[in-house]
Amino acid sequence: MTLREHLLSGEALGQRYALAVPQTALAGATGNQLGRRAGTSIDFQDYREYQPGDDLRTIDWNVFARTDRLTIKLFREEVNPHLDLVLDASRSMDLENSPKSAATLRLAALLGTAAENGHCTHATWLAGDGFQRAANDTMLPSAWDGLAFTSRRPLDEAFAILPPRLRRLGIRVLISDLMWPVEPLTILRRLADGAAAVFVVQLLAQADTEPPEHGNIQLVDSETGEEREIFVDATVAAQFRAALARHRESWDAACRQTGARFVSIVAEKLDASLPALEEAQLLVPA
Amino acid sequence: MPFLTYPLALLAAAALPALAAIYILRNRYRRREVSSLMLWQFAVLSREGGAKVNKLQLPLVFFLELLALALLVTAATGPRWQLPAHARPLVVILDDSASMLASQSSAGSLPAVSPRTKAAAALEDLLKSRKFLSIRLVLAGPKPRVLGSAVTTATEVREAIAQWTCQAPAAALDAAVALANDLGGAQSQLLVLTDHASPGSEFTGNRIQWWAFGATHPNLAFVNATRTTHGESDRVLLEVANYSASASASAAYRITSGSNLLRSATLTLEPRARQRLFLNLPAGTPAIEATLAADALAADNRVTLLPAVRKRIRVQNSLEDAVVRSHVDKALDSTGLRSSLSAAPEIILHNASATPAGTNAWGLRLLTDTTNLAAHTGPFIVDTAHPLARGLALDGVVWTAAAPGTNQFGLPIVTAGNTPLLSATEDALGRQQITLHLIPDRSTLTATPNWPILFWNLLTWRARETPGLVESNFRLGSEVAVRALTNSAQLKLPSGTTRTLTKSAEEFVLEPETTGLHTVSAGASTWQFTVNLLAPEESDLATAKAGKWGEWERPEETRREYSSVLWLFVLSALVVMVTHLFLVTHSKGRV
């Protein structure tokens, strides 16, 4: 299947969902959703005393007539919530003999479509040699382009080279296998800074979660090309599983520490993992 | 050792450690791309931490390859297996003659060991030391007989040879060997167990072993015993033989009748000499028993003789000519077989053209027609097999009779040219109708011994056709014919067991296998007869031998018992290789 087909598949899947927008995300540019602050909508929110600089058009003259005090009338602001989709574009997301890249594209398209359904704007960032936006990323996912998983740099290096200009009070979703040695908090703090909500979706291939069968194995790092020969037996397999569990636990703990939500799903079981995204309050049925 | 005799297989065996070395020493790493090596750091740390002895990990395919190679190497050695299906069958010929029971029981204090006992023990030892595909037993009596079906174990053989009683008057070993050969086939091995030496080189081949367990013993034996009618008394003949190689012997004998001692004496016999004893007994004397002192063979030391059978025939002489009738009466009286006419006649002598009706009698018609007379002086053609013609010597006899032209009187027994002189035919009622063409006053037949012989034959023939036995004393091995009117009869053996006899033609014919008193019951009638061993060849123990002749095996023949199982190993190797292929192609590299 081609890139477009994966995006279309994800888009079709996302028609059933809408992005769950948290209250903290109801801020931003003028849009078609009521924000949590006072704005220019027609929905009355509150009164307060006039302060210098307030728009004189909002003075409620009837109240002034009755109380001889300048009081302005506050209306709810109308905002467009925003989704910043951060995709790990490293080569490990395109692991050979696995549907990892396809699942990433489908999941990104699903979230983009769900954002559309939730009247959210959205942007898609690719973490390669710095962060770059995908072409046509404000349009429907099927129009996205330039999504390639070819980077050899981990996410923290991309942040260092060229950080993304993430929308304030936006919903930020990181889709990555998180397979690089880094202190999770360094990434999460940058993602959580100014965000209404942060979701970390760890997308792994089945091969990432299960060690190889017994025998001599030559492991090749998909990003660095580094090779390592090991003999896998029951002990080594158990050690691998323990290391993976520890790695997940460290990310989960860091997410809890920063208020982010952590979800780990397997690429081969993407469709079956969508309820987990609902549980994490990232998606709601449309 | 097979490997040392097959150098190529020895070389091929080197593939086994080579394969193991390949698996152990090879470094076959399967390439696998992973998202990151960060989760595998522990393995590196473990290796860098110091030398660690890992348990040798060998996949299943290694063992399959090792097994396939081992099977092929074994196959290359040409394995041969002593398969039961290819072992030879054994046919044992058991000498069933009475001499197999000979033993020096009275001479020593040790228990008597007969050739039969020794032979049975030797057979048991053989079966313990060697296995055979099947074992068949052939009993060599006067006629060879197969003893049961094929057996395989020594226990079954032991049960089967319980029937080996050694009571036969002779052992037809040649015929038994021939039967065993047919029975076992070309691959069979034959074993003869006897007490006599191998008769010659024909038994010393590689298929027959001849084991003899006999021993030479002096032996006194009854070799003949008869009791015949002699007028109104019985005459007993006993013949005693000394079968000693060198020494003369004293034979103490006793003749008793029930509890009455009839005679007791001692005979002195030269080596290998015989002596006859005669004894006249009044008619009606019951069974007598003659015994000799105990010696090597017990079976020939005792003889039982029942009273001779006296069958008398009621003859009605209805001949018209008084002179001729007188000649006939004299001849009939001379036979001693004629009885008074107390009941319906059994033979009617007449001149009528037809047999007198309403009787069960045979008829002898004397034709004295004087037309076309011819005096015959021979040569006479005599059917010597006919009961009426036994003992007739017609040389010099003038036999005058009318020429009948055509033979309308049945089967000719005596003819002169094409002129039947004596004929016999059986009518619809089973009666013999005999026709005698004779002009007595112009012939010399009535003046010769042929005349009473002819009537003796006639009465004897008729007597044989009456129910019952013809004789009452038989040699072991002879045929006993019992005539009865019923269709079934029972034979009671000396052992007390009873068996049913099958009728052959008009008689029950049997061949007693044991000595002693036998009783035949047919309807309300009962007849007794006795059987005595009377076998000089069995009593003569001077020719008994011990030894072994013949061999079974030759090295090149032994190999034939082993069958090649090369196919088994090749087939197994193929199965293993197919399994290997399946595992390799379906396991996706996991093995």
Side-chain angles (χ1 to χ4, degrees), chain A residues 100 208 214 218 220 231 239, chain B residues 30 32 34-35 42 57:
Chain A
K100 204 167 169 183
D208 290 327
H214 287 203
Q218 183 187 44
V220 181
F231 182 83
Q239 287 177 326
Chain B
R30 285 176 284 129
R32 175 159 173 170
V34 294
S35 297
F42 59 87
Q57 302 285 332

Side-chain angles (χ1 to χ4, degrees), chain A:
Chain A
M1 292 177 74
T2 63
L3 165 72
R4 195 71 53 209
E5 288 169 334
H6 291 312
L7 292 173
L8 280 169
S9 171
E11 192 176 302
L13 200 59
Q15 295 296 339
R16 296 183 286 171
Y17 297 99
L19 199 66
V21 181
Q23 284 300 310
T24 52
L26 293 178
T30 301
N32 48 18
Q33 282 202 48
L34 293 174
R36 61 184 173 84
R37 297 186 298 184
T40 57
S41 71
I42 58 173
D43 291 333
F44 172 76
Q45 185 183 23
D46 202 359
Y47 287 99
R48 71 169 169 81
E49 284 190 352
Y50 173 78
Q51 292 177 356
D54 288 338
D55 190 346
L56 294 177
R57 288 174 298 177
T58 60
I59 295 174
D60 191 336
W61 295 106
N62 291 328
V63 174
F64 177 74
R66 289 197 297 271
T67 63
D68 198 21
R69 294 173 62 183
L70 284 174
T71 302
I72 62 174
K73 192 176 182 180
L74 296 178
F75 295 91
R76 297 281 298 272
E77 74 171 344
E78 286 187 338
V79 296
N80 255 352
H82 183 76
L83 169 67
D84 278 314
L85 206 51
V86 179
L87 301 184
D88 181 356
S90 64
R91 295 179 64 146
S92 67
M93 295 300 288
D94 189 17
L95 188 67
E96 68 177 10
N97 300 323
S98 82
K100 204 167 169 183
S101 60
T104 305
L105 292 171
R106 291 182 70 211
L107 181 59
L110 183 151
L111 292 173
T113 308
E116 290 282 345
N117 294 340
H119 306 291
C120 299
T121 58
H122 51 85
T124 303
W125 297 90
L126 290 174
D129 295 334
F131 281 88
Q132 293 180 339
R133 290 186 62 168
N136 307 324
D137 64 340
T138 57
M139 301 171 69
L140 282 174
S142 55
W144 297 353
D145 210 349
L147 301 175
F149 303 95
T150 56
S151 172
R152 292 182 179 273
R153 295 182 185 278
L155 208 62
D156 51 337
E157 288 187 18
F159 268 110
I161 295 170
L162 180 61
R165 287 173 292 145
L166 302 176
R167 182 85 58 92
R168 184 174 169 73
L169 295 179
I171 302 168
R172 295 168 189 173
V173 177
L174 169 64
I175 300 176
S176 170
D177 55 9
L178 310 179
M179 286 292 184
W180 78 97
V182 69
E183 172 55 45
L185 281 174
T186 60
I187 301 297
L188 289 173
R189 283 192 180 119
R190 303 193 72 156
L191 280 176
D193 182 28
V198 175
F199 296 88
V200 176
V201 179
Q202 185 185 34
L203 185 64
L204 296 174
Q206 187 80 41
D208 290 327
T209 61
E210 286 297 325
E213 294 288 337
H214 287 203
N216 289 321
I217 307 293
Q218 183 187 44
L219 300 171
V220 181
D221 192 311
S222 60
E223 294 180 3
T224 64
E226 183 183 350
E227 296 177 353
R228 185 162 299 155
E229 292 173 347
I230 62 167
F231 182 83
V232 177
D233 57 7
T235 306
V236 171
Q239 287 177 326
F240 170 83
R241 292 191 185 95
L244 178 62
R246 283 196 303 273
H247 181 64
R248 279 175 168 163
E249 182 59 31
S250 67
W251 274 92
D252 194 25
C255 286
R256 285 198 300 274
Q257 194 173 338
T258 56
R261 303 280 177 85
F262 177 79
V263 179
S264 181
I265 60 179
V266 177
E268 285 83 350
K269 302 172 184 173
L270 176 62
D271 292 359
S273 302
L274 295 181
L277 297 178
E278 291 186 55
E279 275 185 32
Q281 298 178 346
L282 175 60
L283 295 175
V284 292

